[in-house]
Amino acid sequence: MSEVMVRQVPFFNYKIFNDRYSNIILEETRRVIQEGAFIMQKDMLLFEQRIAQYLNVKHALSVANCTDGLIIALQACGIQPGDEVILPSHTFIATAASVQMTGGVPVPIECGADHMIDVTKIEASITDKTRFIMPVQLNGRTCNMDAIQAIAEKHQLTIVEDAAQALGSEFNGKKAGTFGSAAAFSFYPAKILGCLGDGGIVVTNDDAIADKVYELRDHGRNRSGEVVSWGGNSRLDNLQAAILGRIFVEDYENIVRRRREIASLYQSHLGDLSQLVLPPAPGSEPDHFDVFQNYEIEADNRDALAAFLKKNSVGTLIQWGGQAVHQHKSLGFDNVNLPFTDHMTTRYVMLPMNMSIIDDEVEHVSDMIKQFYQG
Ligand SMILES: *Cc1c(COP(=O)(O)O)cnc(C)c1O
């Protein structure tokens, strides 16, 4: 028997920034250094304009990362100590932490079969202290925002979207991040639009909220540079904005198209396996346009599948290390009981979904999964 090279398909390849974007990065770095333009300069402003235009939203204000963005968005929307914020437990700890850091109280609730916040469970979680709903536009998908907006209106709650994973995702033709009073996106390297470190942006249609975000991210200074309130420092580097701007303009359409193509490929290879539940295929639902930040599936015998794939050099990732917000022992959610989310944390896993993976590799990953279940 001849020796075959073991095919490796990593979950994510950070060398993408070199392989795909080295020209952009080198050109922009050289230019920005030559100009000596590092903090709140024209590349940052231009990038903000581009994102605002893309989302069809009035204001986009860049920040140092999405977690800061969520904190600042909540503060700009007037969160007060003790205010309860309803959010899904199946999310990154940062969603809940952003609430906690403002003095608010995160109230994690169940996710539904589509992995998004279970809109049928929101109303039962509302108390006289509830002020906000924080839907998470998870995996590049947008929640059923009609239902969430109706509940928010009925109970006079403010919506702040965690859109960290959802740039370009739509519900009923409207983009994630534009449904609530404010939203934040992330440009963490592995996010669908990634930079070379940390980055984020807050968007809003409200002028007063935008002013407040502007101040909170830059030492309480307004657009004239005058200190008008307390603020911190959470600015996006002009250099990162310059690089992000080029990647966004030159490649974002391709990124979204390719991710949807990969999702369709997984669907065609794995759609018949009864042991898996796949996310809805692109184009299969009229209300949703998903951008597939992640390809998160449910799998029978998940841990054994992940171990088998790992042994065969195929990378997978279990989101949040398999721990929903309420499951973190040290965070005081002992009385929170979310059986469906608990069940889901034993079943979900993400398959490779990135701009490095080629069609053959998607097929290979799929073949290995079939081999695991069918021998
Ligand atoms: C990545 C992520 C965040 C945090 O974004 P950072 O830019 O890393 O601070 C928040 N919420 C969700 C759902 C995320 O995926």
Side-chain angles (χ1 to χ4, degrees):
M1 217 169 80
S2 66
E3 215 161 314
V4 218
M5 238 181 46
V6 179
R7 188 158 204 178
Q8 302 200 3
V9 185
F11 179 74
F12 188 81
N13 188 351
Y14 285 95
K15 291 215 303 287
I16 183 98
F17 289 102
N18 187 45
D19 299 344
R20 196 175 175 91
Y21 300 124
S22 61
N23 282 344
I24 288 179
I25 291 165
L26 294 175
E27 282 168 25
E28 291 306 309
T29 303
R30 199 171 294 127
R31 182 181 62 74
V32 167
I33 289 174
Q34 267 166 9
E35 293 176 9
F38 301 118
I39 302 287
M40 293 183 76
Q41 297 298 306
K42 69 175 194 313
D43 300 294
M44 188 197 85
L45 296 171
L46 183 62
F47 177 61
E48 292 176 345
Q49 278 168 21
R50 285 186 164 135
I51 294 293
Q53 192 174 21
Y54 175 71
L55 297 176
N56 192 22
V57 74
K58 207 162 162 196
H59 305 278
L61 297 148
S62 56
V63 287
N65 57 74
C66 178
T67 307
D68 275 5
L70 291 170
I71 294 170
I72 288 172
L74 286 164
Q75 290 172 331
C77 290
I79 194 168
Q80 297 298 316
D83 285 357
E84 291 181 2
V85 181
I86 294 173
L87 46 88
S89 193
H90 179 36
T91 186
F92 186 34
I93 193 62
T95 314
S98 69
V99 174
Q100 186 74 30
M101 301 313 275
T102 64
V105 179
V107 177
I109 72 164
E110 292 276 32
C111 61
D114 65 351
H115 304 201
M116 317 296 283
I117 192 168
D118 184 344
V119 295
T120 68
K121 300 277 165 63
I122 295 175
E123 281 199 288
S125 310
I126 294 175
T127 72
D128 56 2
K129 296 211 180 82
T130 307
R131 294 288 176 276
F132 290 83
I133 306 175
M134 203 176 210
V136 179
Q137 317 296 22
L138 198 64
N139 297 328
R141 182 177 174 83
T142 308
C143 299
N144 178 344
M145 294 306 299
D146 280 351
I148 294 173
Q149 281 179 322
I151 295 167
E153 223 160 279
K154 182 172 160 199
H155 298 273
Q156 293 182 299
L157 306 176
T158 302
I159 297 172
V160 171
E161 293 169 69
D162 180 344
Q165 301 193 350
L167 186 66
S169 166
E170 295 175 14
F171 176 72
N172 276 342
K174 196 166 147 67
K175 287 200 164 69
T178 67
F179 292 90
S181 295
F185 294 87
S186 174
F187 307 123
Y188 181 86
K191 293 284 156 73
I192 181 163
L193 179 65
C195 68
L196 303 172
D198 280 311
I201 203 160
V202 176
V203 302
T204 179
N205 277 311
D206 185 297
D207 296 345
I209 292 172
D211 286 351
K212 204 67 206 152
V213 171
Y214 194 100
E215 294 161 24
L216 284 163
R217 74 161 178 191
D218 183 41
H219 305 297
R221 291 185 288 212
N222 67 10
R223 286 180 169 80
S224 324
E226 192 188 336
V227 174
V228 291
S229 60
W230 292 109
N233 176 0
S234 182
R235 300 172 303 220
L236 178 66
D237 294 341
N238 192 62
L239 175 58
Q240 297 281 15
I243 294 166
L244 278 166
R246 282 279 302 277
I247 295 175
F248 181 70
V249 167
E250 293 174 28
D251 207 27
Y252 203 62
E253 244 181 72
N254 299 325
I255 291 172
V256 171
R257 187 179 344 103
R258 176 61 182 156
R259 283 175 177 271
R260 287 169 58 81
E261 196 173 85
I262 295 167
S264 296
L265 282 173
Y266 276 129
Q267 177 70 39
S268 66
H269 293 310
L270 298 171
D272 291 338
L273 284 195
S274 62
Q275 296 90 344
L276 304 181
V277 181
L278 305 180
S284 65
E285 304 162 302
D287 289 352
H288 290 273
F289 181 89
D290 298 347
V291 296
F292 293 93
Q293 159 69 58
N294 304 310
Y295 195 76
E296 187 173 64
I297 66 171
E298 278 176 65
D300 291 353
N301 208 358
R302 190 241 357 234
D303 291 341
L305 171 67
F308 174 82
L309 292 175
K310 185 175 178 198
K311 202 179 76 200
N312 288 285
S313 304
V314 170
T316 60
L317 191 71
I318 295 168
Q319 229 167 176
W320 349 116
Q323 270 195 294
V325 168
H326 74 283
Q327 294 176 336
H328 289 279
K329 288 276 173 276
S330 50
L331 299 183
F333 294 110
D334 308 2
N335 297 324
V336 177
N337 192 17
L338 303 174
F340 186 73
T341 301
D342 290 342
H343 170 68
M344 288 290 269
T345 58
T346 68
R347 287 184 52 79
Y348 57 68
V349 59
M350 303 189 295
L351 304 182
M353 164 61 77
N354 56 63
M355 293 303 287
S356 324
I357 193 168
I358 60 172
D359 291 6
D360 271 2
E361 292 170 330
V362 177
E363 186 170 353
H364 175 69
V365 171
S366 304
D367 285 345
M368 298 312 288
I369 293 172
K370 286 182 202 163
Q371 200 176 313
F372 172 76
Y373 286 117
Q374 300 169 345

